[in-house]
Amino acid sequence: MENNTIRQCPACGGTARKSIGSKNGFEIFACSNCSTLYTSRVPIADESQDYDEYYSESNLSVPDFIRERVNEIIIDFSKYRDTNRLLDIGFGAGTILEVASKLQWNVFGLEVSKPAADHGRKLGFEVFHGNLIEARYPDHYFDVITSSEILEHLPDPNADLREIARILRPGGMFWATTPSARGLSSRVMKIDWSVLWPPEHMQLYSKKGVCLMLKNAGFSVIKVKTFGINPMEIADYVLPKTNKEESFDRVQTGYQLNEGFSKSPMRKRVQSILNHLLNLMQIGDSLKIYAQTK
């Protein structure tokens, strides 16, 4: 069954666009106003990513260096502590929940994946299995809401962001990461970038687009940085391949790269400088979002 509904830009609502090609049966557009990349339509039921099959024992654990980085992020949220409640949307392996709980936050988790939700309950956390609208959290309930690599998956991100703004207390913090439509990898590889992957990822936002979307959802203080890059993926794309059958593992190489940077204070400093430069040039492959409610 074909879904012929044509989407507006999910970031700015614009209708002016140009096609950059097709991938996995989906036409991909670039918004002429904000440069966000998005699919021409939302997947129908039998095309949608099955998140119950996405998680297994192998990806419900993370390396120690990620826990260390998450700890640094959560410590920075202490300035927003009031109700002492923190919600992680799409918590996956539960790393943010575990780290925040150890830092004395009262944590809540939300997951559409049943295996991940069950895993979170086994860890002892209060978990809702389903989407954010279904959870019906009270108004102004949370100090902090986190969402790592989730916004690119949502069929209606504006509705979810409005709901996040509703359940955050005034002055609360929404922290999120999501791939950048204007990062170096996207500019070099264009539609061939592995992150541009419908129907799993339905949109990749530009910095301009995500700022407009957050403002329209009710956020007032918005800061967005670009960071991170996987030079090994770019090299794999542009250099001649000795083994054309071998596929590139973006996730594994990304882990290896970040783990390498985490091994000493000097390497961490180098990574920090590189990320600072990527942000200055606006070519990092990821967007890091800090947005406060009014």
Side-chain angles (χ1 to χ4, degrees), residues 157-176:
N158 292 281
D160 284 80
L161 287 173
R162 288 192 297 269
E163 184 70 357
I164 289 168
R166 180 186 71 79
I167 63 179
L168 268 176
R169 67 165 176 81
M173 170 60 67
F174 174 53
W175 177 92

Side-chain angles (χ1 to χ4, degrees), residues 29-155:
F29 289 116
C31 176
S32 299
N33 177 46
C34 74
S35 300
T36 290
L37 305 177
Y38 62 99
T39 56
S40 60
R41 59 187 178 83
V42 173
I44 57 177
D46 61 358
E47 295 175 312
S48 298
Q49 173 76 35
D50 186 348
Y51 291 103
D52 286 349
E53 292 186 357
Y54 185 82
Y55 286 105
S56 64
E57 267 189 48
S58 64
N59 57 10
L60 282 173
S61 61
V62 299
D64 288 341
F65 77 89
I66 291 182
R67 294 179 185 277
E68 293 173 11
R69 178 61 189 127
V70 169
N71 188 72
E72 294 169 0
I73 293 167
I74 302 298
I75 285 174
D76 196 45
F77 293 157
S78 60
K79 66 189 80 160
Y80 302 104
R81 199 188 293 261
D82 184 13
T83 70
N84 202 45
R85 289 186 285 263
L86 180 149
L87 170 67
D88 187 23
I89 298 172
F91 60 81
T95 309
I96 288 178
L97 299 180
E98 290 185 89
V99 172
S101 180
K102 288 179 181 177
L103 292 171
Q104 306 304 311
W105 284 91
N106 184 16
V107 298
F108 298 74
L110 183 141
E111 252 297 345
V112 296
S113 165
K114 189 175 186 304
D118 290 343
H119 176 72
R121 291 190 183 104
K122 286 178 184 176
L123 294 174
F125 300 122
E126 185 167 336
V127 168
F128 182 84
H129 174 222
N131 66 49
L132 181 61
I133 307 299
E134 294 168 339
R136 298 183 180 178
Y137 294 114
D139 290 352
H140 315 313
Y141 194 62
F142 298 102
D143 290 332
V144 174
I145 296 176
T146 59
S147 178
S148 180
E149 307 300 293
I150 299 298
L151 295 175
E152 65 272 19
H153 297 259
L154 300 175

Side-chain angles (χ1 to χ4, degrees), residues 182-196:
R182 300 293 297 152
L184 185 61
S185 292
S186 181
R187 296 180 194 219
V188 171
M189 292 180 274
K190 298 182 172 57
I191 201 166
D192 293 324
W193 189 26
S194 63
V195 174
L196 187 56

